[in-house]
Amino acid sequence: MTTAAHGTLLATGLALFGRDLTVTLTNRAWVVLLQLGAIAPPIVSLLVWTGAIARGATPPVSADRIVTWFVLVAVVSMVTSSWTASFLAEDIRTGGLSIWLVRPCPALVHLVANNLAEKTVKIVVLLPMVAVLGALFRDQLRLPQDPSIWLAALAALLCAAILTFVLDVLIGCLAFWFEDVQGVQGIMNLAQRLLSGAVVPLMLLPAQVQDAVRFQPFRFTLAFPLEVLTGTGTAHLEDWLTMLGWTGASLAVLALVWARGVRRYEAAGA
C-alpha cells in the first residue's frame, strides 16, 4: 500500500470515527445507563467478597488485590469489549455489506471506527463512576507505582482489545454460511464470561483449574491485563508469547475466513 493509500485510509477512518462519535453522543442517556449496568456487577462482587473476608473467609490472594481487581475490571472490560458480531451478521444477511465492499477502503474499517468511537464515549462516562468506587475502597486499592507496569498493562490491553474484536468479527462472519449466528454468539459470550475472569477472577480458582485454563484465549481478553495491573497470577514470558500467538493466529484466521466469505457473498450476487 502506497503512502497516498495509507493517507486515504487514515482520513476515511477518522471520518468514520467522527461520524460514530457524533451518533454515540446523541444517545448520552443510553450510554450512561449502559455504564451503570457495567459497573453494577463489580460493585456486587466487591460487597460479597469484602463481606466474606470480614467474616473469616481466606481467599488465595490478599483482600487488597481482590478489591483492586474488581475496581478495575469494569474499565478493562470496556476497553477490550466488542459488540460487532450481530451487526456484521445482519449486514451480510440483508446485503448491507455490499455498500462497504464497493468503497475504496477495507470493508471492516467502519466496524473498527464504530468500536473505537463508542469506547471513547463510554470510557469518559465510566471513569468517574470507577473513580467514586475506588475512593470508597481507597484503603484497599493498590494501583501500580512502577511506570513499566502501566506500559506492560497497556500492551496487554491493546492485544486483548484486538483479540476480542477479531473473535467477535469471526462470529459475525459465520453469517456468510449460516442464516442465524445468535446461538454461536451466545455460546461464545458465555464461554468468554466464564473463562476470561469476568464472573469469577481466575486467581480465585483452585490451582489445578488455573493451570488448566492458563493458556486458553479468553484469559487474554480480560484476565491477563488485570493480572499485570494487580500483580496476580503468572505474567511470565510464556504468557506474553501465548497472548501474542493467539492475537496473531486470530488475525490470520480472520484474513482467511473473510476472503473466502466475501467470495461466497459476491458469488451469490448479494
Side-chain angles (χ1 to χ4, degrees):
M1 187 179 290
T2 65
T3 303
H6 278 107
T8 301
L9 178 60
L10 178 60
T12 302
L14 290 175
L16 292 171
F17 175 85
R19 181 202 65 178
D20 288 323
L21 193 65
T22 301
V23 172
T24 306
L25 287 171
T26 61
N27 297 283
R28 293 184 294 272
W30 168 74
V31 172
V32 171
L33 290 175
L34 280 180
Q35 301 326 297
L36 287 172
I39 201 170
I43 291 175
V44 173
S45 297
L46 265 174
L47 295 175
V48 169
W49 278 103
T50 53
I53 292 171
R55 287 167 175 77
T58 55
V61 296
S62 69
D64 292 351
R65 287 184 173 180
I66 293 176
V67 169
T68 304
W69 178 288
F70 283 118
V71 169
L72 297 176
V73 68
V75 175
V76 173
S77 179
M78 177 50 59
V79 170
T80 62
S81 61
S82 178
W83 46 85
T84 299
S86 57
F87 296 104
L88 176 58
E90 183 66 16
D91 278 348
I92 294 171
R93 284 195 300 268
T94 61
L97 182 63
S98 302
I99 298 173
W100 297 101
L101 291 177
V102 298
R103 294 186 177 183
C105 69
L108 295 178
V109 168
H110 75 291
L111 298 176
V112 175
N114 172 264
N115 186 272
L116 294 176
E118 285 199 22
K119 282 180 180 178
T120 299
V121 178
K122 290 175 179 177
I123 286 296
V124 170
V125 174
L126 181 63
L127 282 177
M129 301 179 187
V130 174
V132 172
L133 182 62
L136 293 174
F137 289 88
R138 59 185 177 276
D139 292 337
Q140 293 176 287
L141 183 62
R142 299 290 181 267
L143 296 178
Q145 301 299 314
D146 187 348
S148 64
I149 295 179
W150 287 103
L151 290 175
L154 183 62
L157 278 171
L158 178 61
C159 282
I162 294 172
L163 179 58
T164 304
F165 180 79
V166 172
L167 292 176
D168 199 34
V169 172
L170 283 171
I171 296 299
C173 286
L174 293 178
F176 285 123
W177 292 273
F178 303 102
E179 281 292 322
D180 188 1
V181 302
Q182 289 185 354
V184 178
Q185 187 179 4
I187 293 173
M188 181 68 77
N189 289 341
L190 178 61
Q192 198 274 339
R193 288 188 62 79
L194 292 176
L195 296 175
S196 70
V199 177
V200 178
L202 301 184
M203 61 184 178
L204 299 178
L205 298 176
Q208 298 87 340
V209 178
Q210 289 188 46
D211 291 338
V213 302
R214 179 180 174 187
F215 297 110
Q216 48 85 22
F218 296 112
R219 174 192 171 210
F220 299 96
T221 64
L222 179 66
F224 186 72
L226 282 166
E227 290 170 6
V228 174
L229 280 170
T230 60
T232 57
T234 53
H236 300 308
L237 177 61
E238 56 265 35
D239 295 303
W240 288 97
L241 293 176
T242 302
M243 178 182 63
L244 293 174
W246 279 118
T247 304
S250 68
L251 287 168
V253 171
L254 176 59
L256 177 63
V257 170
W258 180 259
R260 292 189 176 183
V262 169
R263 284 199 297 269
R264 177 184 175 88
Y265 180 84
E266 293 175 334

